[in-house]
Amino acid sequence: MSLDRNTKCWCGSGLKYKKCHLEFDEKIESYRRKGCIVPERELIKSPEDIEGIRKSAEINNGVLDLVASKIKAGMSTAEIDKLVYEYTTERGGIPAPLNYEGFPKSVCTSINNQVCHGIPDESVILEEGDIINVDVSTILNGYYSDASRMFMIGRVSEESEKLVRVARECMVKGIEAIKPWGFLGDIGAACQEHAHKNGYTIVRALGGHGVGNEFHEDPFVPHIGEKGTGMLLVPGMVLTVEPMVNQGVFDVFVDEENEWTIYTEDDKLSAQWEHTVLITETGVEILAK
């Protein structure tokens, strides 16, 4: 929908369209005419949206910092869930996973061969040598943020340490590949190249996503791909970069009993880090980490 040049901009900035997003929209339209996939306006966050997501991310980051200070061998994953719930709610937030499509807990805790969506449980006790992904998502005043970190419990094997390190490097390289007016495929190409160089695979069935006004928004963010392909990335988009890196094959399966937890097909280890990223005029701003 076109706007009069002197109408207030659709983004909610309060500025006139000609002073705000007119040139931006013209640039997007030039890419559309070239046959590129371009984002719809609802994927471009307003200044108010961005500030709301940023405040949500402050709680999300604080949760992960707290977990980092407490996590240890002998701790149950239910204790992690309790920490997350109490910290989040005491600050006016809501744990986004809690009751999301029936998920029963406030956080995902995925250990060793669990790729993601591990459900906290009093009977699951962390042991020396485990690696665990703690995935935290927060709602604050209707705005969502999302991030995860890997933790190594006590002394871990060299193989485990390398996987955790390389998984983080894959995420970092994916984020570094994001450029305003670049393409979604640039992210996946960077993650995939680094994983394969180190003898690992990237899970294909799962990926990152837009986030902010909802828990999961478009676009789906694959962590494999080719440079210069996929949706155009423009300032104002907020998305997660969260490559799931497997020690063995990229194939996975869902636990038949709880219908949530995803495991590696070959029972080998998996590791994942996740940040929520805002695309800016000059690069990116990491919001949740």
Side-chain angles (χ1 to χ4, degrees), residues 4-249:
D4 183 89
R5 294 169 58 85
N6 293 305
T7 301
K8 284 187 177 180
C9 187
W10 53 263
C11 77
S13 67
L15 298 174
K16 290 183 178 180
Y17 182 46
K18 65 183 179 183
K19 295 286 188 179
C20 195
H21 271 87
L22 174 59
E23 185 178 340
F24 175 94
D25 283 350
E26 289 175 342
K27 189 169 184 178
I28 285 183
E29 183 56 31
S30 73
Y31 278 93
R32 190 196 302 272
R33 287 196 296 268
K34 293 175 186 175
C36 297
I37 302 167
V38 302
E40 299 299 325
R41 281 181 181 169
E42 60 261 27
L43 300 188
I44 314 302
K45 305 305 181 189
S46 70
E48 181 182 358
D49 291 336
I50 292 167
E51 187 57 28
I53 299 165
R54 190 178 283 118
K55 288 179 178 177
S56 172
E58 288 175 5
I59 295 177
N60 210 76
N61 294 340
V63 172
L64 283 166
D65 289 344
L66 176 64
V67 172
S69 73
K70 300 288 187 181
I71 198 166
K72 61 182 179 179
M75 185 181 204
S76 73
T77 53
E79 290 176 74
I80 297 172
D81 183 70
K82 186 172 184 285
L83 287 173
V84 171
Y85 179 81
E86 291 181 349
Y87 184 98
T88 304
T89 56
E90 285 169 2
R91 287 156 181 79
I94 301 168
L98 186 59
N99 299 319
Y100 175 76
E101 295 186 354
F103 191 81
K105 298 294 182 177
S106 297
V107 63
C108 297
T109 51
S110 307
I111 303 172
N112 297 331
N113 65 335
Q114 295 177 339
V115 177
C116 61
H117 304 162
I119 300 176
D121 193 290
E122 290 180 0
S123 66
V124 178
I125 308 298
L126 297 179
E127 298 179 358
E128 181 96 2
D130 283 341
I131 60 172
I132 177 173
N133 177 268
V134 178
D135 191 347
V136 176
S137 309
T138 301
I139 312 169
L140 181 69
N141 300 324
Y143 293 104
Y144 292 74
S145 56
D146 193 5
S148 77
R149 299 181 196 173
M150 292 297 300
F151 297 99
M152 296 180 285
I153 307 304
R155 296 184 62 182
V156 305
S157 68
E158 289 184 11
E159 292 84 0
S160 295
E161 186 279 329
K162 181 186 175 186
L163 178 66
V164 169
R165 173 173 49 82
V166 171
R168 188 177 190 283
E169 291 168 354
C170 287
M171 178 195 66
V172 169
K173 288 183 179 294
I175 293 171
E176 289 174 344
I178 298 173
K179 301 291 187 292
W181 310 104
F183 293 90
L184 197 59
D186 302 346
I187 300 171
C191 294
Q192 177 178 261
E193 180 183 5
H194 192 65
H196 289 183
K197 186 173 71 175
N198 284 277
Y200 300 135
T201 61
I202 298 276
V203 173
R204 302 183 179 191
L206 303 154
H209 51 89
V211 68
N213 300 97
E214 300 290 342
F215 197 171
H216 297 101
E217 303 172 358
D218 288 335
F220 173 76
V221 181
H223 297 108
I224 61 168
E226 296 181 17
K227 292 180 181 179
T229 65
M231 183 179 284
L232 183 70
L233 299 176
V234 304
M237 293 177 71
V238 176
L239 47 81
T240 69
V241 178
E242 48 178 308
M244 302 168 197
V245 182
N246 287 358
Q247 202 175 38
V249 299

